[in-house]
Amino acid sequence: MKEQLYTIPVNDAFDKDTECPLCSMRETLEEEAIAYTLGPSYMEEDVRAVTDEKGFCPEHLKMLYNNQNRLGLALILNTHLNKINRDIEHLMKSQPKISSSSIFKKKAANNEIADYVDKLKTSCFICDKINDTFNHYIKTIYHLYKTDPNFSKKFRDTKGFCIDHYSLLYKNAPNYFHGKYLDDFIAELNSLYMNNMKRVNEDLEWFINKFDYRYGDEPWKEAKDAIPRTMLKTNSINL
């Protein structure tokens, strides 16, 4: 089974003390994808052809810039920009000459350029690279939960998941479990999610209380980092 190839990174993520092991997995994939993009691979013609075609989303372009390999990024952006200019110039030249009265033809011609730009705005080499492996990780989670008692215990011992990844695990579960197995998994997933979201919210409320003079001498308990942990739970932001 191909998913077994991913058991090590999945187990490693579930071994971590984190509010969402799936966020941890995705963060590692993101770091690896950034390093790969600005590593020796950017000199390979087949890789450059894909980065030229797909480009990058704003967030990952910022991360590439912060990586400090400015020459590598400049080379990648240079050929990417060359392709964009060639493509748009071709679309400009291919537009039929139309009169001001040919409003429908004019809209159709303009839409070709707009559609090209819209497609480019939703395309990202790094997002695609992350998502491809991450989808295998999700399959591996279900596989290990079903076949490995040690992993199913790890699953139960986690601090739950962020909203997005809870939803992802919930939505895809029927593709891997049926009948009682599905009911048991969903019940366990729901319990993990809700109990830990309530725990984090209690920590957040205690954080707020600590700004009230009446609680000034009380211990912080687990509340000092309640804000970043809440941000991870609600928005998958890992500070």
Side-chain angles (χ1 to χ4, degrees):
M1 183 176 182
K2 188 175 181 181
E3 287 74 34
Q4 290 178 324
L5 297 174
Y6 297 91
T7 58
I8 293 176
V10 170
N11 270 297
D12 286 348
F14 275 79
D15 283 335
K16 291 181 180 179
D17 183 16
T18 174
E19 294 290 350
C20 181
L22 276 71
C23 281
S24 178
M25 289 190 294
R26 193 169 185 87
E27 183 179 30
T28 299
L29 286 174
E30 190 170 52
E31 292 169 354
E32 292 172 350
I34 294 292
Y36 173 83
T37 303
L38 288 177
S41 67
Y42 74 81
M43 295 302 294
E44 299 174 9
E45 289 186 9
D46 58 335
V47 174
R48 188 74 72 85
V50 181
T51 59
D52 288 350
E53 178 72 28
K54 294 184 176 181
F56 306 96
C57 67
E59 184 63 30
H60 286 138
L61 189 55
K62 289 178 186 177
M63 293 179 71
L64 289 170
Y65 181 79
N66 292 333
N67 184 269
Q68 300 300 316
N69 183 357
R70 301 293 165 77
L71 175 59
L73 181 57
L75 291 169
I76 292 170
L77 290 177
N78 176 240
T79 54
H80 175 52
L81 188 56
N82 284 340
K83 185 180 188 312
I84 291 175
N85 290 341
R86 286 196 306 270
D87 291 346
I88 291 183
E89 189 172 32
H90 173 74
L91 290 172
M92 289 176 176
K93 290 178 178 179
S94 66
Q95 289 182 3
K97 290 184 179 180
I98 49 180
S99 65
S100 59
S101 61
S102 304
I103 187 169
F104 294 111
K105 289 183 179 179
K106 183 183 291 186
K107 284 184 177 180
N110 289 340
N111 282 344
E112 288 186 13
I113 293 176
D115 290 345
Y116 174 85
V117 174
D118 287 344
K119 182 179 178 182
L120 196 62
K121 282 161 56 177
T122 59
S123 176
C124 176
F125 172 78
I126 290 176
C127 284
D128 289 350
K129 187 171 180 59
I130 292 170
N131 290 335
D132 181 62
T133 305
F134 189 73
N135 288 335
H136 287 298
Y137 284 0
I138 299 302
K139 295 175 185 177
T140 303
I141 290 172
Y142 294 121
H143 171 70
L144 289 175
Y145 183 91
K146 189 161 47 176
T147 62
D148 186 347
N150 290 328
F151 179 81
S152 58
K153 182 179 184 306
K154 283 184 190 180
F155 188 94
R156 289 190 294 271
D157 291 342
T158 65
K159 293 182 176 180
F161 308 95
C162 68
I163 293 174
D164 184 48
H165 291 141
Y166 156 71
S167 174
L168 182 68
L169 290 171
Y170 187 100
K171 178 177 64 177
N172 288 297
N175 296 327
Y176 299 90
F177 302 106
H178 304 283
K180 184 178 183 303
Y181 287 101
L182 176 61
D183 293 341
D184 290 347
F185 177 83
I186 292 298
E188 192 160 88
L189 178 65
N190 286 344
S191 178
L192 266 174
Y193 172 78
M194 193 52 66
N195 289 342
N196 283 284
M197 289 295 277
K198 289 179 179 179
R199 170 183 56 80
V200 171
N201 198 36
E202 288 173 0
D203 291 342
L204 191 64
E205 289 173 352
W206 188 248
F207 180 92
I208 295 169
N209 286 341
K210 282 295 294 175
F211 287 83
D212 186 325
Y213 73 93
R214 292 173 297 177
Y215 298 91
D217 294 330
E218 297 291 333
W220 276 91
K221 301 179 184 178
E222 303 297 324
K224 283 189 175 181
D225 63 345
I227 292 178
R229 287 190 290 113
T230 302
M231 291 168 65
L232 191 152
K233 286 292 196 188
T234 58
N235 293 82
S236 305
I237 298 173
N238 201 356
L239 299 177

